[in-house]
Amino acid sequence: MTSSEPGTTPPKASKATTASRTSTAAKTAKATKAPKTPKAPEAPKTLKAPKIPKGESHLALVRRARRINRELAEVYPYAHPELDFRNPFELLVATVLSAQTTDLRVNQTTPALFAAYPTPEDMAAANPEEMEELIRPTGFFRAKTRSLLGLSAALRDDFGGEVPGRLEDLVKLPGVGRKTANVVLGNAYGVPGITVDTHFGRLVRRWKWTDEEDPVKVEAVIADIFPKSEWTMLSHRVIFHGRRICHARKPACGACPIAPLCPSYGEGETDPEKARKLLKYEMGGYPGQRLSPPPDFPGKPAPALGAV
């Protein structure tokens, strides 16, 4: 029995006990508090592109690249794959659909697709015309339908309905290349991989980590610069930065937190206020690309397809 006996006064808590309870309550409130939307990153008002010698040694390049990665880790501690998925099969399908479109459009499309075809067996038996209509918003829907039907049949017939966890098996599936395979391995199976998409390739060339254009060659060069344990998170950070700040046409140089380290500083808008207006997603106070983002994501969930 926890209450006091009738006619008696409950004992007062000691100062130490009260302080302990207050501290515990504060910690609990802090732990359950929703993450804040990050403020726009700040860069020095006047910058010049750092001088990187043409004959930069490999060691110097490695040190510079790893410092950029450390800076990005502080800016995007919540970096993650921006495709909604609940299992390796959903991630594989979503990644195939993401070709030539945004992750947002894929995330808005896959709920209905996975409701209709939740397993490889279901998808392999799908009516092509019906699937085409479901994935039409992602573009190139006929070619993507052929890929999804083919890879689903291969998973059913050759892998017991399971997505394989080896790169050499994944790249044999219709519509699956090294980029898609590395996305699945890194994010569904915890196997380190470098995802060389358009954002990643653009940024590593801007930073003079490589001048290679071929994604396979880019992957090999970057793999030689960073330890294997960093490959997956490095990919997320670089892609996050490319989508939010270092855009293809108008980089927000004046709002870039790694501007002092960037040899291409000045290719975009350098005025801090103008640059801030170019920031996208949570950096600009807008929704992200996922309808179901991770709990620690500081931005807003994306709207469903057709939502106002």
Side-chain angles (χ1 to χ4, degrees), residues 11 27 37 39 86 88 90 97 114 116-117 150-151 154 193 203 206 217 240 266:
K27 289 180 180 178
T37 301
K39 294 181 180 179
R86 296 170 295 184
E90 290 190 356
L97 290 176
F114 294 140
Y117 316 114
L151 72 84
L203 267 61
R206 275 183 177 166
K217 292 181 179 179
F240 256 56

Side-chain angles (χ1 to χ4, degrees), residues 91-92 95-96 170 175-185 195:
L91 179 58
L92 175 61
T95 308
V96 170
L170 285 166
V176 178
R178 288 186 67 90
K179 185 196 84 169
T180 297
N182 280 328
V183 169
V184 174
L185 291 174
T195 304

Side-chain angles (χ1 to χ4, degrees), residues 58-164:
H58 181 69
L59 178 60
L61 186 154
V62 168
R63 288 174 174 170
R64 181 167 59 84
R66 292 185 178 185
R67 184 179 173 189
I68 288 176
N69 181 43
R70 291 194 298 271
E71 295 287 341
L72 292 178
E74 293 185 9
V75 178
Y76 309 109
Y78 51 86
H80 61 273
E82 295 193 87
L83 289 169
D84 287 327
F85 69 98
R86 296 170 295 184
N87 54 58
F89 176 62
E90 290 190 356
L91 179 58
L92 175 61
V93 170
T95 308
V96 170
L97 290 176
S98 68
Q100 304 298 316
T101 191
T102 63
D103 286 358
L104 170 59
R105 185 49 56 93
V106 174
N107 292 335
Q108 292 173 325
T109 302
T110 50
L113 179 68
F114 294 140
Y117 316 114
T119 68
E121 292 82 1
D122 295 323
M123 190 167 285
N127 178 291
E129 288 76 19
E130 292 177 0
M131 183 182 289
E132 286 176 2
E133 286 305 307
L134 286 174
I135 68 172
R136 182 184 288 270
T138 67
F140 301 95
F141 55 91
R142 291 190 179 89
K144 290 179 180 179
T145 293
R146 289 193 294 270
S147 293
L148 294 184
L149 290 174
L151 72 84
S152 297
L155 293 177
R156 178 195 62 194
D157 299 339
D158 302 332
F159 298 99
E162 300 292 333
V163 175

Side-chain angles (χ1 to χ4, degrees), residues 31 49 78-79 122 135 169 199 210 232 235 239 288 307:
Y78 51 86
D122 295 323
I135 68 172
D169 292 328
H199 301 288
T210 180
T232 299
S235 300
I239 292 170

Side-chain angles (χ1 to χ4, degrees), residues 40 247 252 255 269 271-280 284 286:
H247 313 134
E269 179 58 64
D271 179 86
E273 292 307 315
K274 292 180 180 178
R276 272 184 230 285
K277 295 178 181 179
L278 300 175
L279 301 181
K280 294 183 179 179
Y286 303 109

